[in-house]
Short mmCIF file of all heavy atoms in Angstrom, two decimals:
data_model
loop_
_atom_site.label_atom_id
_atom_site.label_comp_id
_atom_site.label_asym_id
_atom_site.label_seq_id
_atom_site.Cartn_x
_atom_site.Cartn_y
_atom_site.Cartn_z
N MET B 1 -21.10 7.62 42.47
CA MET B 1 -20.11 7.75 41.38
C MET B 1 -19.52 6.36 41.06
O MET B 1 -19.23 5.58 41.95
CB MET B 1 -19.02 8.71 41.83
CG MET B 1 -18.11 9.11 40.72
SD MET B 1 -17.10 10.49 41.25
CE MET B 1 -17.07 10.33 43.01
N CYS B 7 -14.32 2.39 34.75
CA CYS B 7 -14.51 3.55 33.88
C CYS B 7 -13.73 3.37 32.58
O CYS B 7 -12.52 3.13 32.60
CB CYS B 7 -14.06 4.82 34.60
SG CYS B 7 -14.10 6.29 33.56
N GLU B 11 -8.95 3.71 29.72
CA GLU B 11 -8.30 3.12 28.56
C GLU B 11 -7.49 4.14 27.76
O GLU B 11 -6.59 3.82 27.03
CB GLU B 11 -9.33 2.48 27.63
CG GLU B 11 -10.02 1.26 28.22
CD GLU B 11 -9.03 0.25 28.76
OE1 GLU B 11 -8.00 0.02 28.11
OE2 GLU B 11 -9.28 -0.31 29.85
N ARG B 20 -5.16 -3.01 39.67
CA ARG B 20 -6.53 -2.99 40.16
C ARG B 20 -6.58 -2.35 41.56
O ARG B 20 -7.42 -1.50 41.84
CB ARG B 20 -7.05 -4.43 40.24
CG ARG B 20 -8.54 -4.53 40.39
CD ARG B 20 -9.07 -5.90 39.98
NE ARG B 20 -10.52 -5.92 40.20
CZ ARG B 20 -11.08 -6.07 41.40
NH1 ARG B 20 -10.34 -6.23 42.47
NH2 ARG B 20 -12.41 -6.05 41.53
N VAL B 26 -7.38 5.02 44.16
CA VAL B 26 -7.62 6.28 43.47
C VAL B 26 -9.11 6.59 43.42
O VAL B 26 -9.56 7.69 43.70
CB VAL B 26 -7.04 6.23 42.03
CG1 VAL B 26 -7.64 7.32 41.16
CG2 VAL B 26 -5.52 6.36 42.08
N GLY B 38 -18.04 27.34 29.30
CA GLY B 38 -17.46 28.63 29.64
C GLY B 38 -16.85 28.72 31.03
O GLY B 38 -16.13 29.66 31.33
N VAL B 73 -3.44 26.52 23.61
CA VAL B 73 -2.26 25.69 23.44
C VAL B 73 -2.66 24.26 23.09
O VAL B 73 -1.96 23.55 22.38
CB VAL B 73 -1.42 25.72 24.74
CG1 VAL B 73 -0.44 24.57 24.80
CG2 VAL B 73 -0.70 27.05 24.87
N VAL B 76 -8.52 19.51 24.91
CA VAL B 76 -8.53 18.23 25.61
C VAL B 76 -9.94 17.65 25.64
O VAL B 76 -10.88 18.35 26.01
CB VAL B 76 -8.00 18.38 27.05
CG1 VAL B 76 -7.88 17.01 27.72
CG2 VAL B 76 -6.66 19.08 27.06
N ARG B 85 1.53 18.22 34.80
CA ARG B 85 2.73 18.91 35.24
C ARG B 85 2.75 19.14 36.75
O ARG B 85 3.81 19.18 37.38
CB ARG B 85 2.86 20.25 34.51
CG ARG B 85 4.20 20.49 33.88
CD ARG B 85 4.17 21.74 33.05
NE ARG B 85 3.92 22.93 33.85
CZ ARG B 85 4.85 23.55 34.56
NH1 ARG B 85 6.09 23.12 34.56
NH2 ARG B 85 4.56 24.61 35.27
N GLU B 104 -17.84 16.69 32.27
CA GLU B 104 -17.86 15.85 33.46
C GLU B 104 -16.41 15.44 33.71
O GLU B 104 -15.72 14.96 32.81
CB GLU B 104 -18.71 14.62 33.15
CG GLU B 104 -19.26 13.91 34.35
CD GLU B 104 -20.06 12.68 33.91
OE1 GLU B 104 -20.62 12.70 32.80
OE2 GLU B 104 -20.09 11.71 34.67
N PHE B 107 -11.51 14.57 39.68
CA PHE B 107 -10.28 15.15 40.20
C PHE B 107 -9.62 14.15 41.14
O PHE B 107 -10.25 13.63 42.06
CB PHE B 107 -10.57 16.45 40.95
CG PHE B 107 -9.34 17.09 41.52
CD1 PHE B 107 -8.48 17.80 40.70
CD2 PHE B 107 -9.02 16.95 42.86
CE1 PHE B 107 -7.32 18.37 41.20
CE2 PHE B 107 -7.86 17.52 43.39
CZ PHE B 107 -7.01 18.23 42.55
N SER B 111 -1.51 13.73 46.06
CA SER B 111 -0.98 12.85 47.11
C SER B 111 -1.24 11.38 46.76
O SER B 111 -0.38 10.52 46.99
CB SER B 111 -1.62 13.20 48.45
OG SER B 111 -3.03 13.23 48.32
N ALA B 132 6.06 13.22 26.83
CA ALA B 132 6.95 13.28 25.66
C ALA B 132 6.14 13.57 24.41
O ALA B 132 6.56 14.31 23.52
CB ALA B 132 7.71 11.97 25.51
N SER B 141 3.46 22.43 16.80
CA SER B 141 2.64 23.64 16.76
C SER B 141 3.50 24.87 16.64
O SER B 141 3.17 25.82 15.93
CB SER B 141 1.80 23.76 18.03
OG SER B 141 0.98 22.64 18.19
N ASN B 144 4.56 25.30 13.10
CA ASN B 144 3.43 25.75 12.30
C ASN B 144 3.16 27.23 12.52
O ASN B 144 2.94 27.99 11.58
CB ASN B 144 2.17 24.97 12.66
CG ASN B 144 2.24 23.56 12.15
OD1 ASN B 144 3.06 23.24 11.30
ND2 ASN B 144 1.39 22.70 12.69
N SER B 149 1.24 30.53 7.17
CA SER B 149 0.34 31.69 7.13
C SER B 149 -0.90 31.41 7.98
O SER B 149 -1.21 30.26 8.31
CB SER B 149 -0.09 31.96 5.69
OG SER B 149 -0.96 30.94 5.26
N MET B 154 -5.33 28.00 9.82
CA MET B 154 -6.77 27.79 9.97
C MET B 154 -7.20 26.51 9.29
O MET B 154 -7.95 25.71 9.85
CB MET B 154 -7.52 29.00 9.41
CG MET B 154 -9.02 28.95 9.59
SD MET B 154 -9.53 29.00 11.32
CE MET B 154 -9.49 30.78 11.61
N HIS B 162 -11.33 17.84 12.69
CA HIS B 162 -12.06 16.82 11.93
C HIS B 162 -11.46 15.42 12.18
O HIS B 162 -12.17 14.48 12.51
CB HIS B 162 -12.01 17.17 10.44
CG HIS B 162 -12.68 16.17 9.55
ND1 HIS B 162 -12.02 15.09 9.03
CD2 HIS B 162 -13.96 16.08 9.10
CE1 HIS B 162 -12.86 14.38 8.29
NE2 HIS B 162 -14.05 14.96 8.31
N ASP B 168 -20.28 14.96 13.76
CA ASP B 168 -21.56 14.39 14.18
C ASP B 168 -22.22 13.68 13.00
O ASP B 168 -21.62 13.57 11.92
CB ASP B 168 -22.48 15.49 14.77
CG ASP B 168 -22.86 16.54 13.73
OD1 ASP B 168 -22.71 16.28 12.52
OD2 ASP B 168 -23.28 17.63 14.13
N ILE B 176 -17.49 22.40 18.82
CA ILE B 176 -18.06 23.67 18.41
C ILE B 176 -17.27 24.80 19.05
O ILE B 176 -17.16 24.90 20.26
CB ILE B 176 -19.53 23.78 18.90
CG1 ILE B 176 -20.35 22.59 18.44
CG2 ILE B 176 -20.14 25.11 18.44
CD1 ILE B 176 -20.68 22.57 16.98
N TYR B 182 -11.37 30.15 17.50
CA TYR B 182 -10.54 29.83 16.34
C TYR B 182 -9.38 30.81 16.24
O TYR B 182 -8.24 30.43 15.99
CB TYR B 182 -11.36 29.84 15.05
CG TYR B 182 -12.10 28.55 14.79
CD1 TYR B 182 -13.47 28.46 14.94
CD2 TYR B 182 -11.39 27.40 14.42
CE1 TYR B 182 -14.15 27.26 14.72
CE2 TYR B 182 -12.06 26.20 14.20
CZ TYR B 182 -13.43 26.13 14.36
OH TYR B 182 -14.09 24.94 14.15
N ALA B 193 -9.80 35.81 11.64
CA ALA B 193 -10.34 34.45 11.67
C ALA B 193 -11.69 34.41 10.96
O ALA B 193 -11.95 33.53 10.12
CB ALA B 193 -10.48 33.97 13.11
N LYS B 214 -18.84 22.44 8.70
CA LYS B 214 -18.64 21.15 8.02
C LYS B 214 -17.56 21.32 6.96
O LYS B 214 -17.56 22.28 6.21
CB LYS B 214 -19.95 20.70 7.39
CG LYS B 214 -19.79 19.48 6.50
CD LYS B 214 -21.04 18.63 6.27
CE LYS B 214 -22.32 19.36 5.97
NZ LYS B 214 -23.40 18.40 5.57
N ILE B 215 -16.65 20.39 6.91
CA ILE B 215 -15.63 20.42 5.86
C ILE B 215 -16.21 19.82 4.59
O ILE B 215 -16.65 18.68 4.60
CB ILE B 215 -14.37 19.66 6.29
CG1 ILE B 215 -13.71 20.39 7.47
CG2 ILE B 215 -13.39 19.52 5.13
CD1 ILE B 215 -12.42 19.78 7.94
N MET B 224 -4.09 23.43 -0.13
CA MET B 224 -4.10 24.89 -0.26
C MET B 224 -2.72 25.48 0.03
O MET B 224 -2.07 25.10 0.99
CB MET B 224 -5.09 25.42 0.78
CG MET B 224 -5.45 26.84 0.66
SD MET B 224 -6.51 27.25 2.06
CE MET B 224 -5.29 27.10 3.37
#
Side-chain angles (χ1 to χ4, degrees):
Chain B
M1 191 167 25
C7 174
E11 293 309 319
R20 195 160 179 282
V26 162
V73 162
V76 186
R85 230 173 64 80
E104 202 182 331
F107 179 78
S111 51
S141 302
N144 288 344
S149 70
M154 184 65 83
H162 178 271
D168 65 17
I176 306 287
Y182 276 107
K214 172 156 44 172
I215 294 183
M224 191 184 68

